[in-house]
Amino acid sequence: MRPALLDPVFAEASSLPGIGPKVEKLIARVTGVAEGPPLIRDLLFHLPSSAIVRERIESLSELPESGHVIFEGVVEHHEAPRRNSRAPFRAVIGDGTETVELVFFHARSSWIEKILPIGERRLVAGRLDRFDYRAQIAHPDFIGKPDEAGEILAVEPVYPLTEGLAQRTLAKAIRAALEKLPELPEWVTPALLAREKWPGFRDALMALHMPQEGAALVPESPAWRRLAFDELLASQLALLLVRGKARKTAGKARQFTGGQAEKMVSRLGFELTGSQKQAIEAIRTDLRSPERMLRLLQGDVGSGKTLVALSAMADVTEDGGQAALMAPTEVLARQHFATIAPLAATAGLKAELFTGREGGGNAKLAALAAGEIDIAIGTHALFQEAVRFKDLALVVVDEQHRFGVHQRMLLAAKGAAPDLLVMTATPIPRTLVLTYFGDMAVSELREKPAGRRPIETRIASSERLAEVVERIRAAVEKGEKVYWICPLVEESESTDAAAAEERHRELSAIFGEKALLLHGRMKPAEKDAAMAAFRAAAGAVLVATTVIEVGVDVPDASIIVIEHAERFGLAQLHQLRGRVGRGEKASSCLLLYKPPLGETARARLKVMRDTNDGFAIAEADLKLRGEGDLLGTRQSGMPGFSIARPEFHGELLELARAEAKLILAHLEKDGGGAPEAVRALLYLFGRDAAVRLMRSG
Ligand code: ADP
Ligand code: MG
């Protein structure tokens, strides 16, 4: 149950004065509320993006050149525009030392004569500018009698808006919302509060919405950090509660020497990298422990994740267990099978492929159920009903971002709490790993295998297509293999395929048989044939849609051309580029864009040109997207978060996780329900589903 003391905060925003149905809708939009009416809570969490700081001027002779000012003066005269003139109304106000022109466009004279009567003393606040050396304020923020000074904020918060919503309306609503905010019990432990010098929750919100100085309104301020921490703490508590449930189904302690894996590795023509070895050892420790393994293996494209997975799969087979490797596409599943099956065979292990094409009902399924197959490699076909294992010990999921949590769960349900290894090449910044995967252990492959050369990336306009084709022709003649990625027209396989077919036709006129085609609409056998031809060719162009984005490994491909690069996400471009630079050849990537190129798009392509480091790219992407703040959208770069921002508060995540563990340990020890403070926290940040997982919500 929601603690009663939160009731005022969970009242609808429309219960505040001045919020009718129209404003309510705008508030829902600006605060990002998708379902149901916006609440007072949502207003409270809508933080200002900056503040206006007003300088109090005692004598007009000391007026600054420009800036926000407050001053008093006597209205000296009016200059009304001539009839039908577009000129503004001017009122001149002064204090004997200097004068300021107050300028009003489209204003009625009668109104100005009323608020600025000649000869009267008035208090004015607004943004001062100079025009022909004259001090001017266009449309002052405030005009009142000298005794109304209390109504002007020396520091006024400025809120992100949405079309149709006025700053004044939103500010007033938020002011009213603040008055409903009660003092809440503290959920942060006193030691942490003292160490970080954080204000309480209520004081923190007050400090941001009613700043005393402009400098306080930055994500690094103690108040903002405190609230970001609260939000992260709520999400970590929720994740731990969910995971706690998953872990209660204990895993099995596997026994093995690692000999099988070593046998396979010794057949490779190369040494494992240091980080591959480290990851393999970390996984071994997990497999041997009775706790269920939940590990994320993160490694930039080409860092050699497949071998780490293979080693783990070989390990569990020593103990009679089976392993499953799930890939997001059939092309990739086949490629894994082609790499793994021969290596596995050298250690006497049997690997088999399970894709939609093989289907159920054949001898393979029987062999799998009987435990005669050690390693099952496949697509989502692996979690069809008919697929049964004898003892599924390890599930490896490759390229995690293509699968949802749901699919992972389905596969994991096929064994008795099998250990789980999730591999991702989409570099998820450290700061986000915890938010998405909770307390999953993380292994990182930061090193690239020896001998790799950086990929040289260039950017060019698609108007130079003919030139590009000419250069590619020369390269193919020399025996180079080229990927040619076609524009992503829409989020639709068929239109993408059409674009690729079109380009393939054109390139076929130049390259003949050496122009190959690969897209998602082709029959599986045709895809295989195209990939096989590309692998075997001495010089070829593979025209493809993004089906090759994930994991395709043709080590001697050395050039990649990406059309309409401006339409791809940075992570996706990085994935695509990672298809080359896998061998020892010098490789290049050509990003073609269709002009005109916007500022953000240009910045994004520059990032690609300037670095090959997937982690740096992911961080840059986050920043660029964070700053590309569209009117009316949330500024937060983290989905599901309204206050915490990964680029500023990332380091608080570890702290939040530790604190969440501490809190849960306390709850366990006391054996009771969660104290009111913790429940309040979870409700405030919309993590209340987790409350039900606590013993007495
Ligand atoms: P990814 O991490 O992108 O999945 P892969 O596992 O496909 O990378 O490996 C990329 C390529 O690097 C493969 O051709 C693989 O055989 C090779 N490779 C993996 N580890 C090493 C290593 N330690 N030294 C040299 N080459 C390696
Ligand atoms: Mg891979």
Side-chain angles (χ1 to χ4, degrees), residues 363-513:
K364 270 191 208 172
L365 290 174
L368 188 65
E372 288 153 19
I373 293 170
D374 304 292
I375 298 173
I377 299 169
T379 55
H380 50 279
L382 276 177
F383 50 70
Q384 282 163 15
E385 263 300 309
V387 181
R388 298 229 167 77
F389 294 82
K390 181 158 182 256
D391 177 13
L392 179 58
L394 171 68
V395 172
V396 180
V397 183
D398 193 10
E399 314 293 356
Q400 142 76 24
H401 60 295
R402 292 278 175 112
F403 293 107
V405 178
H406 174 68
Q407 286 165 312
R408 255 193 282 154
M409 291 297 170
L410 273 178
L411 190 55
K414 290 195 176 286
D419 287 313
L420 181 65
L421 179 68
V422 175
M423 305 200 287
T424 175
T426 303
I428 305 169
R430 266 217 70 71
T431 50
L432 285 190
V433 167
L434 275 168
T435 31
Y436 289 135
F437 298 98
D439 64 344
M440 222 172 193
V442 180
S443 289
E444 263 178 39
L445 301 185
R446 279 233 129 173
E447 269 163 282
K448 290 266 166 83
R452 293 278 164 83
R453 295 215 240 153
I455 305 161
E456 195 199 325
T457 300
R458 268 168 297 172
I459 305 171
S461 159
S462 57
E463 282 163 358
R464 294 170 53 194
L465 191 69
E467 240 174 276
V468 172
V469 171
E470 192 41 47
R471 269 208 248 141
I472 298 298
R473 203 176 59 89
V476 170
E477 256 168 30
K478 277 195 231 142
E480 303 286 332
K481 292 184 187 179
V482 181
Y483 291 107
W484 187 295
I485 310 304
C486 276
L488 192 73
V489 182
E490 284 166 30
E491 288 291 304
S492 135
E493 276 278 324
S494 56
T495 44
D496 290 359
E501 276 165 359
E502 170 79 37
R503 181 63 76 216
H504 177 248
R505 251 193 310 279
E506 286 167 21
L507 292 179
S508 290
I510 299 163
F511 296 94
E513 299 275 280

Side-chain angles (χ1 to χ4, degrees), residues 270-273 276 299-307 335-336 339 398-399 425 445 449-450 452 551 553 555 579 582:
F270 48 76
E271 273 277 304
L272 293 179
T273 65
Q276 279 174 318
D300 205 349
V301 284
S303 57
K305 294 182 291 294
T306 316
L307 285 177
Q335 176 184 290
H336 276 321
T339 316
D398 193 10
E399 314 293 356
L445 301 185
R452 293 278 164 83
D553 186 31
R579 296 314 110 211
R582 309 200 131 216

Side-chain angles (χ1 to χ4, degrees), residues 95-162:
D95 67 352
T97 68
E98 194 53 86
T99 58
V100 178
E101 266 183 19
L102 308 181
V103 182
F104 302 85
F105 291 89
H106 314 295
R108 255 182 304 144
S109 319
S110 57
W111 174 68
I112 291 168
E113 274 151 13
K114 200 172 123 206
I115 59 164
L116 287 166
I118 292 173
E120 295 283 318
R121 202 170 174 76
R122 284 292 178 267
L123 183 69
V124 176
R127 208 184 73 183
L128 178 79
D129 258 317
R130 301 275 164 172
F131 196 76
D132 281 347
Y133 302 106
R134 278 173 299 171
Q136 280 195 349
I137 294 177
H139 297 270
D141 299 334
F142 182 90
I143 299 171
K145 304 219 170 90
D147 61 357
E148 289 173 325
E151 287 182 31
I152 310 178
L153 295 175
V155 182
E156 188 174 310
V158 177
Y159 293 99
L161 296 174
T162 187

Side-chain angles (χ1 to χ4, degrees), residues 330-384:
E330 197 162 319
V331 167
L332 192 54
R334 282 180 186 278
Q335 176 184 290
H336 276 321
F337 179 68
T339 316
I340 288 172
L343 276 173
T346 65
L349 298 174
K350 186 156 177 52
E352 260 304 350
L353 185 66
F354 293 82
T355 66
R357 218 188 310 176
E358 273 73 22
N362 57 22
K364 270 191 208 172
L365 290 174
L368 188 65
E372 288 153 19
I373 293 170
D374 304 292
I375 298 173
I377 299 169
T379 55
H380 50 279
L382 276 177
F383 50 70
Q384 282 163 15

